[in-house]
Amino acid sequence: MTRFTRLPALLTLGVLAVAVAGCGGDGDTGGAPPADATEGAAAVEIENPGVITGTVMFTGTAPDLESIDMDSEPVCAEKHEGTPVQESVVTGTGTLGNVFVSVREGLSQEFPAPSTPVEIDQSGCVYEPRILGVQAGQNITIRNNDAVLHNINATPEANRGFNISQPQEGMTSDRSFSASEIMVPVQCDVHGWMTAFIGVTDHPYFAVTGPDGSFEIENLPPGDYVLEAWHEVYGAQTVNVTVPPSGTAEATFTYDAAMSASAVVPVGDPVDLHDHHISPVAVTPAG
Amino acid sequence: MDWGFPENVSTFGADIDAAYGAIFYATALMFVIVQGLLVYCIIRFRRREGRKAVPIHGNTRLEILWTVVPFFGVMFIAYTSASVWLDIKSPDRMPEDAMELSVTAQQFEWSVTYPGADGQLATADDYSTRNELHIPVDRAVRLTLHAQDVIHSFYLPELRVKQDAVPGMEIPVWLQATATGEYTLGCAELCGLGHYRMRGTVNVYSQQEFDTWAAEEAAIASGAPASLPPVAAR
Amino acid sequence: MSTVALPEYVHHYHDPAHADDRSFVRKYIFSTDHKIIGIQFLFMSLTFLLIGGLLAMLIRWQLGWPGRPLPGGAVLGETRMPGGIMLPEFYNSLMTMHGTIMIFFAVMPLLVGVFANYLIPLQVGAPDMAFPRLNMASFWLAVVSGILMFAGFFVEAGHAAAGWTSYAPLSVVPEYSGVYNGQVLWTVSLIILGFSSLAGAVNYITTIINMRAPGMTLLRLPLPTWALFITSILILLAIPVLTGALILLLFDQVLGTGFFIPEMGGEPLLWQHMFWYFGHPEVYILILPSFGFVSEIIANGARKPVFGYTAMVLALAAIAFLGWIVWGHHMFQSGMNPMLGVGFMATTMVIAVPTAIKVFNWIGTLWQGNLHFHSPMLYSLAFVSMFVIGGFSGVFLASTPVDIPLHDTYFVVAHIHYVLFGGSLFGIFAALTYWFPKMFGRTMNERINKIHFALTFVFFNLTFFPMHELGVNGMLRRVYDYTQYALFQDLVDLNRFISLSAFALFASQLIYAANYIWSLGRGARASANPWRANSLEWTVPSPPPHGNFDSMPVVYRGPYEYSSPESEEDYLPQDAPPAEAPRPEPAPTFA
């Protein structure tokens, strides 16, 4: 539990309390120190960079999505045409969206966090986007577009969590995570259906698939990589990819509708959604 | 703004209001006596030059008087309060033919589960509503309170109900509404930063309206697409 | 002049026997002198009183103008008031810390830390406390505790926000509260403060039992000392339970135990029982000393003996005993067995009896008196009047069925403030003003005090009386924005009125603070006994020298022999020998 993370803090706090009081106002934003203004992935020189492109395929029949009862939040309900649904499984024709794809092994460089924040909105009492990638140390700008209270309760395992609120429309908050973690669940407790997942990596090589299942990861140093796909219902799987100098590598993941029931991921290790420490990554033949 | 409790639409609410009224008049009388004596003393015995106070050390008879009279006064209040209280809160005295509902409190939502067509909770045809309690008028309802995370308090001001929902406990509550309409449901125990938004409505219907509503909900629940397992967030 | 000759040594400040050659640090910082320690507690707790008041002003801003940006509020930072708009988590911290600071760091040290330290040795006729170094440790532990508590405002994710009662599991699990180290600091600070209180209480009890001057029988003790004695016993009974509960809470917070977490086999109601087992005696810890001060001052103002001195002492003891077995009345709606509720209702109701005894005895003390309305007397009379209102509202809450609609509403807020502000704090103003000449050798400006009294009395009632009405209307306490409830939307005007009154009430306190500080340096020099009072502290110079008494005082009578036929004056000091003085018993010495 995250409670354990408070123990070392307690030990030092006793000593540092006076200093803390003196410093004041520190720690207003959670997580790591803000990134330098000048860097970002582009700042790291990559020789003969390559690209991974690919698709997340989906077989079987997608489940009907759970409808959301927004009757008691008219401000949000009126932003939706028809009954809003829980977009936990987004599919195209034989493809799966909202899959977080990231490089898990094979990188040796350090990548400073970009200075530009990524954004996540709360609009119509749903998170937009639902699946979000961010680099460790990079700011996440959280915005409330609804005229109701939202709280943003992030419950990571490897990072310090936060639980903050935005009682009024237009409010924004900046937060960041200091360590890589796939994935950090985010929840609004006022509207229990509001869920998002943030993938935190220590490099810029990640992507989220659209409904067509496609993704592209650019500017990679040539080399061998373990690529992982993560889906909130169907779990995680990995493939091995070799990126040629100045070339393009293909990667394909395949999920099946039955996976939710079997809870076993055929490619790679079975993944427990509750275990956010998904490692070490098993290297399996690319599909 | 009314100068008093919110409108009462509960069977036992009248007893609570009567107990409140009785204490109000008793304390108002004592208030007038005590403050009157105080003001009288302040005016009557204010300082006058050349006068000496009378050095009285006490009076045992008076001490006994103002020990015994308040004792019987408050014991009378306690005695009459006790039966009203137990009628409301004691599980032994709750109506046996009551409609059974289940209420789950969670940061920051109330979820009410209804038994469905079979009249039994914890069966497949149960359905639930978020931040809304729907009940028929003039019928005893027995709710079992649960809490998922922290302590909440089930608060229905017009129905004179307040009962904490405690994680790890199942706490029964009963009520019977005496008038149809829309009333307040709230959380009365600090439960976190969204505590103030943990509120909803109580809809009291006529039995007929309630049956119609329940049938609709049951139909939606049974016809609705199978829901996915909830996404684990904690 | 009195026919009773005052002892000659009264006029000696620089007695060679007590030549004071301590260094500045030993004299004023790490002092073991009970008077210096009392004054140290005084300035610490007055500072916290001011901080606690400022927090209340922020709370009242949000309640008067929900969601409206506070001009200049943005300086408090993005995590508290972005653009001046208060966030709910900051509101929760504010109300948590208002309660915590006022109870633990303002009122409790003002009553006990200041006056138990300052008065007990002087009133029993002792040169100092029984354990002077333990006394010093008590103060410095309180300072450490206060710094930790204050530091909580500056840690990431904000200060404790689970209410001053810190109900588990909200106070344990950060994912539920959004608060991380703030909650831990809160716990650690109060554990340390518990040790401070215990060190003090042991000291006060020992001093009163063992170090009374010859002739100072228990039933000749001034009532402030009696009240502080009984309060100290309550502290010994209550605080260890709180400290134990806090240690369990700390384990839950940082070591991952689950004493109060149901998923781990724990029990949330266990925390409530342990907390209130302390918490209700605490309420009496916060009022009994004021009972004592007010009894003393009313007798002095009326120039009359305290009516029913023995009954007053017995009532104090009865309140303390009953206050110790009523904790369950905070838990009527908690899910506790309803039959227990009946039992706790009965014990709670009985407290009205000793309380009534005290009130009627105060009125009896006024009866046929010759009332001098000096400012301590005014504060004391207001205390009686306001405390009675707090007592009556307590009867409503004690009745279990009536508690159902009133529990956790502003009715409770009104009740606690009538008791703690109308009661304890008026008692504190009375005591601060009454003993100011003794503590600092100077006199406060009486006219300004009377202005302060009038403003405080008026704005106090304008602030807190309407809260009864809010509570009866059902308005919940600890709610950031009550306008989210349709039922409470028409309460905005009344809330705004309360907020404006509260601002005026706060501003009025600045008058007192200014007068207090000004009088420290510029007030008229005070004589040894400006109020013409009887107890022993008035027989020594103002301020008393190190060691208090040049020789051991001998006591011949009780402390309230005002207007006695034995004396031409309307007062008769405890140590004035009777006309035909019997030989005092052989005196024990302070070894």
Side-chain angles (χ1 to χ4, degrees), chain C residues 104-119:
Chain C
F104 290 104
F105 293 94
V107 174
M108 195 174 168
L110 273 170
L111 289 170
V112 181
V114 176
F115 288 104
N117 269 311
Y118 201 92
L119 289 184

Side-chain angles (χ1 to χ4, degrees), chain A residues 76-103:
Chain A
C76 289
E78 69 194 16
K79 290 188 180 178
H80 298 273
E81 290 174 21
T83 309
V85 292
Q86 186 71 274
E87 300 197 327
S88 51
V89 179
V90 177
T91 54
T93 354
T95 56
L96 185 61
N98 272 353
V99 176
F100 182 76
V101 182
S102 63
V103 171

Side-chain angles (χ1 to χ4, degrees), chain B residues 1-7 20 155 157, chain C residues 405-406 409-411 466-476 487-488 490-491 494:
Chain B
M1 189 175 69
D2 298 319
W3 292 96
F5 283 131
E7 170 197 7
Y20 172 84
Y155 177 40
Chain C
L406 296 180
T409 67
Y410 265 78
F411 196 91
M467 287 186 185
H468 293 108
E469 177 58 20
L470 292 180
V472 171
N473 272 272
M475 181 176 153
L476 294 166
L487 187 64
F488 309 145
D490 54 1
L491 298 175
L494 187 53

Side-chain angles (χ1 to χ4, degrees), chain B residues 40-118:
Chain B
Y40 174 82
C41 287
I42 288 170
I43 296 169
R44 172 73 178 76
F45 303 114
R46 68 186 184 277
R47 180 183 187 178
R48 294 199 189 109
E49 283 306 323
R51 190 168 66 101
K52 227 176 170 184
V54 184
I56 318 163
H57 280 88
N59 181 319
T60 310
R61 220 175 286 172
L62 277 173
E63 299 287 352
I64 292 170
L65 176 75
W66 59 52
T67 305
V68 172
V69 172
F71 178 79
F72 284 104
V74 292
M75 280 300 105
F76 179 73
I77 295 175
Y79 178 75
T80 49
S81 295
S83 64
V84 177
W85 164 254
L86 290 174
D87 281 345
I88 298 168
K89 292 273 183 174
S90 174
D92 308 337
R93 299 198 191 178
M94 291 185 184
E96 286 181 2
D97 55 346
M99 185 171 96
E100 293 272 347
L101 301 179
S102 166
V103 174
T104 302
Q106 187 176 6
Q107 285 182 329
F108 301 101
E109 295 173 308
W110 293 104
S111 164
V112 185
T113 305
Y114 304 81
D118 61 359

Side-chain angles (χ1 to χ4, degrees), chain C residues 119-153:
Chain C
L119 289 184
I120 287 173
L122 282 167
Q123 290 201 330
V124 303
D128 206 317
M129 284 286 177
F131 312 114
R133 265 169 293 214
L134 191 63
N135 209 20
M136 181 177 79
S138 163
F139 172 72
W140 286 102
L141 280 173
V143 170
V144 171
S145 166
I147 289 171
L148 287 175
M149 192 56 89
F150 191 68
F153 283 108

